[in-house]
Amino acid sequence: NVPEALSGYRPKLSITANGGYNYTNAVQAFPTAGGPTNTQFAQTFYSRGVGATGTYTLFNGFQTANRTRQAESQVEGARETLRVTEQQVLLDAATAYMNLLRDQAILDLNRRNVEVLTEQLKQTRDRFNVGEVTRTDVAQAESRLAAGRSSLLGAQSNFVTSQANYRRVIGVDPGRLAPGTPVDRLSPGVLARAIAQGQAQSPSVLAAAYGVDIATLAVKISEGALYPNLAITASASQGQNPAFEVVKQTQASIVGALTIPIYQGGAEYSAIRQSKETLGQQRLNLDINRDQARATVVQSWGQLDAAKAQIEATTAQVNAAEIALNGVREEARVGQRTTLDVLNAQQELVNARVALVTAQHDRVVASYTLLAAVGGLSTPRLGLNVLIYDPMVHYQ
């Protein structure tokens, strides 16, 4: 759109050429003493000519300048839209990566849980055979093993789904994945600063701001239709037309034309009103995007803080559940605990470990979400060793 707008500053040149056969049949009256005498004659001749015309607009109500600035704002707005897509792609990639890590870890936990429950069932049956426990204890162990196998199948399904989603987002099949690393160090350390940065640097907000600029210039372009128009036209032509007994004719002219609009049916005033309504709409859209940016920053900040606290809480829960399980097992050996107590302690440990894995996943994903909310999720900011697309190269 920028070269198209800049064309208004340049002259418009054209060359015309014509040539062809012509036939004339005419009757001419000559006065005589006895009255008019008619004479008929016919003529066939070949005419040809060539000409050039150049037009240059000196003033058109600043429409060319405003169209150029509008086109440049459109380019800047489109670049911010590109940043929105880039951030979403990177956030989807980080989320798909962490989802696969989480589901793989949960699958391993469920697989080990089934192995432990299988061994627990074997021990319970052996104790039942020697009369230490009842049939009820065996049934409880069998029930818990069946539930564990069901959870394992669900974890396998989630893992396969995450693998497929990873392939869709990343583009290749997953290999050996390293642990995820949070990036909240790249985000502001204070919530107020994060909100200010999000409202000022979020690509969605910037794209909406350029939308306001575009709409403002559209109003000025519409108002330019009310201004006078001044243009200069230069033309030159050369031709031959034997019908008029002219062997060669050359013409040249330079003419300036000033057009002052008086009344054009009211269409230009309607266009101005329409442009102003669109401008008001774009201003509201900017306010909405700023509010949305603030809400996203606050939400991401809260999720990140919650994930940090959950990691501490679930870590303590896992340590306590491990100690509790070992104690319950020892007490069960001397008859102070039942089989159900052991199974419950084992399930609590599995649940605590799954909660810890989920919290670690949420911690990393929330850090990427916060970085995207403040407008900082980009390949240069992350230091990725990839070819970075530069829109200026294509623009030039």
Side-chain angles (χ1 to χ4, degrees):
N1 290 344
V2 176
E4 181 179 343
L6 288 173
S7 66
Y9 285 119
R10 303 188 181 101
K12 295 176 176 58
L13 306 175
S14 62
I15 296 177
T16 60
N18 61 79
Y21 285 97
N22 299 268
Y23 172 75
T24 302
N25 189 342
V27 177
Q28 187 173 9
F30 295 96
T32 59
T37 302
N38 296 332
T39 303
Q40 182 178 0
F41 65 92
Q43 183 180 15
T44 301
F45 59 91
Y46 177 77
S47 64
R48 60 184 180 273
V50 64
T53 303
T55 303
Y56 184 73
T57 301
L58 299 177
F59 181 77
N60 62 352
F62 308 105
Q63 293 188 64
T64 299
N66 290 326
R67 284 194 177 98
T68 301
R69 289 197 294 268
Q70 184 187 51
E72 291 171 346
S73 296
Q74 290 172 344
V75 171
E76 296 295 335
R79 289 176 183 172
E80 295 305 322
T81 304
L82 173 62
R83 284 185 59 212
V84 172
T85 303
E86 177 190 12
Q87 288 203 144
Q88 189 60 53
V89 168
L90 293 174
L91 182 58
D92 289 345
T95 303
Y97 188 97
M98 292 306 302
N99 287 349
L100 184 58
L101 272 179
R102 176 199 60 195
D103 293 340
Q104 185 176 15
I106 293 176
L107 176 61
D108 293 338
L109 289 173
N110 279 276
R111 186 178 288 117
R112 288 197 296 269
N113 182 48
V114 169
E115 294 174 355
V116 172
L117 291 175
T118 302
E119 181 62 26
Q120 179 69 31
L121 176 61
K122 180 178 179 299
Q123 294 176 2
T124 304
R125 284 174 174 171
D126 292 340
R127 295 176 63 189
F128 171 73
N129 292 333
V130 298
E132 294 183 1
V133 297
T134 65
R135 178 61 188 166
T136 302
D137 295 303
V138 177
Q140 289 172 340
E142 291 174 342
S143 174
R144 195 58 60 91
L145 175 59
R149 287 172 176 169
S150 176
S151 298
L152 175 61
L153 293 174
Q156 288 176 335
S157 175
N158 293 336
F159 178 68
V160 171
T161 300
S162 294
Q163 279 184 318
N165 192 53
Y166 182 100
R167 178 66 176 81
R168 177 185 64 83
V169 175
I170 306 298
V172 296
D173 292 325
R176 184 177 180 83
L177 303 184
T181 304
V183 292
D184 47 310
R185 66 187 185 280
L186 301 178
S187 301
V190 182
L191 178 58
R193 287 177 51 202
I195 292 175
Q197 182 174 331
Q199 291 182 325
Q201 299 183 16
S202 171
S204 298
V205 174
L206 293 177
Y210 283 116
V212 173
D213 295 340
I214 293 169
T216 302
L217 292 166
V219 174
K220 295 182 179 180
I221 292 172
S222 298
E223 292 174 344
L226 303 177
Y227 285 77
N229 189 291
L230 178 61
I232 185 171
T233 301
S235 62
S237 63
Q238 186 180 81
Q240 294 181 353
N241 192 341
F244 299 99
E245 300 180 355
V246 177
V247 177
K248 186 176 183 181
Q249 183 181 19
T250 301
Q251 292 180 336
S253 66
I254 298 179
V255 179
L258 176 64
T259 304
I260 301 177
I262 302 298
Y263 179 71
Q264 298 167 286
E268 68 278 14
Y269 293 100
S270 175
I272 293 173
R273 291 194 300 271
Q274 184 181 30
S275 300
K276 289 181 178 179
E277 292 293 340
T278 302
L279 174 59
Q281 181 185 21
Q282 292 300 321
R283 286 172 175 165
L284 292 174
N285 184 52
L286 175 59
D287 292 338
I288 291 174
N289 276 273
R290 282 176 176 160
D291 292 340
Q292 182 62 49
R294 187 187 188 283
T296 303
V297 170
V298 174
Q299 179 182 3
S300 303
W301 189 278
Q303 290 174 344
L304 182 59
D305 281 347
K308 292 177 181 178
Q310 286 173 353
I311 289 177
E312 295 180 1
T314 51
T315 300
Q317 182 183 1
V318 168
N319 294 332
E322 289 176 348
I323 296 174
L325 177 61
N326 293 330
V328 170
R329 283 174 175 171
E330 292 297 327
E331 293 173 358
R333 287 193 182 98
V334 297
Q336 296 180 351
R337 292 283 183 172
T338 65
T339 301
L340 182 60
D341 294 330
V342 177
L343 294 174
N344 289 339
Q346 171 66 25
Q347 189 61 46
E348 288 180 1
L349 177 59
V350 172
N351 294 341
R353 286 173 174 171
V354 170
L356 176 59
V357 169
T358 303
Q360 292 170 339
H361 160 275
D362 296 343
R363 164 85 163 84
V364 177
V365 173
S367 68
Y368 277 92
T369 304
L370 177 60
L371 186 59
V374 299
L377 186 57
S378 62
T379 50
R381 188 72 176 272
L382 296 176
L384 302 182
N385 186 23
V386 296
L387 180 63
I388 299 176
Y389 173 77
D390 184 4
M392 279 297 297
V393 175
H394 179 77
Y395 176 78
Q396 294 297 336

